[in-house]
Amino acid sequence: MNWLSYLAPLATGARVTLELTLYSTVLGGLFAFLFGLGRLSRKRLWRWTCIALIELFRGTSLLVQLFWLFFALPMLGQALGIDLRLPPVLAGTLALSLNIGAYGAEVVRGAIQAVPPRQYEAAQALDFTARQTLWRIALPQAIPEMLPSFSNLAVQNLKDTALVSLIGLGDMAFQAERIRNFTQDSVPVYSLLLLLYFGMALVLAGAMRILECSVGRWRHRRA
């Protein structure tokens, strides 16, 4: 069988992989800021809730988290009389975004805490509220410092999407496994899969690099 004939189903899977990467990376970024800012909150209950969620998702396997959301959560819902079944794409997106959000939360926390104390002292002298200090002082300085780490997390998230094939979602890894089972042609199938992931990772890293440069120029203009 011609190697080129494998590209059509792999391209179909690539579209699913790209969509899943986009959704989970954006949602994971939101979770990262939610958990990261929550960890710095003065409200004890909210702070400890965020800490617990961060440690839970950083301290357990992404595969187990995925299986729990897709297989265990519906059974729990059934016991409670609630329908908690999640479609594969939703379960995959949620597991990936919570996982990347937990790791990203530490990036957010570290970048905000790295803002020089004199900046906060100046904001206090100007009688800024805590919200004004966050949005006008801390985040504009912290976000450029977060982006290199977020770029690494985004690429890692792209690679982690291969796990969703285990719950029946038709991504690239799922399509590759179907082709291999049908043709028993492991070397070309997995070689093409390897090259596709590598190419997508390069494009994603390049896009994140452009974003870093844009934010860096924006910071210099504000300065």
Side-chain angles (χ1 to χ4, degrees):
M1 194 170 182
N2 194 321
W3 284 31
L4 294 178
S5 63
Y6 301 155
L7 290 176
L10 287 175
T12 301
R15 180 178 59 82
V16 176
T17 296
L18 286 173
E19 291 177 352
L20 191 63
T21 300
L22 176 62
Y23 299 153
S24 58
T25 300
V26 172
L27 186 58
L30 294 177
F31 280 133
F33 277 92
L34 179 66
F35 295 158
L37 295 176
R39 183 158 189 169
L40 298 173
S41 175
R42 296 177 180 177
K43 297 179 180 179
R44 183 175 301 178
L45 177 60
W46 176 234
R47 183 173 69 251
W48 283 105
T49 299
C50 289
I51 291 173
L53 290 172
I54 291 170
E55 296 305 321
L56 173 65
F57 287 104
R58 290 179 68 209
T60 56
S61 166
L62 173 57
L63 180 61
V64 176
Q65 296 164 19
L66 179 63
F67 282 176
W68 193 91
L69 288 171
F70 190 70
F71 296 114
L73 184 62
M75 296 183 66
L76 179 61
Q78 187 176 11
L80 298 173
I82 306 171
D83 185 6
L84 295 178
R85 289 175 296 179
L86 300 178
V89 66
L90 180 56
T93 300
L94 191 57
L96 288 165
S97 59
L98 286 169
N99 191 267
I100 192 177
Y103 284 96
E106 289 300 290
V107 175
V108 172
R109 178 191 62 80
I112 290 176
Q113 289 185 326
V115 175
R118 64 178 181 275
Q119 300 287 333
Y120 295 107
E121 294 169 2
Q124 188 176 8
L126 293 171
D127 201 25
F128 279 14
T129 64
R131 181 172 298 181
Q132 288 175 320
T133 302
L134 175 66
W135 287 99
R136 297 186 181 183
I137 304 296
L139 287 180
Q141 297 180 68
I143 287 177
E145 305 302 324
M146 300 175 193
L147 285 178
S149 296
F150 274 130
S151 177
N152 292 333
L153 288 174
V155 173
Q156 182 62 47
N157 189 48
L158 167 65
K159 295 182 288 185
D160 287 341
T161 58
L163 293 176
V164 302
S165 63
L166 298 175
I167 60 172
L169 197 57
D171 71 324
M172 283 199 303
F174 181 85
Q175 297 293 349
E177 187 63 19
R178 287 184 62 186
I179 296 170
R180 191 199 67 83
N181 288 336
F182 180 72
T183 64
Q184 297 299 310
D185 205 1
S186 300
V187 174
V189 171
Y190 288 126
S191 296
L192 286 172
L193 184 64
L194 191 71
L195 290 173
L196 284 170
Y197 272 114
F198 180 64
M200 292 166 67
L202 284 179
V203 172
L204 180 58
M208 293 298 294
R209 180 59 182 165
I210 292 172
L211 180 61
E212 289 177 37
C213 293
S214 299
V215 171
R217 288 195 295 269
W218 167 75
R219 179 175 62 173
H220 292 319
R221 285 198 300 268
R222 285 178 60 93

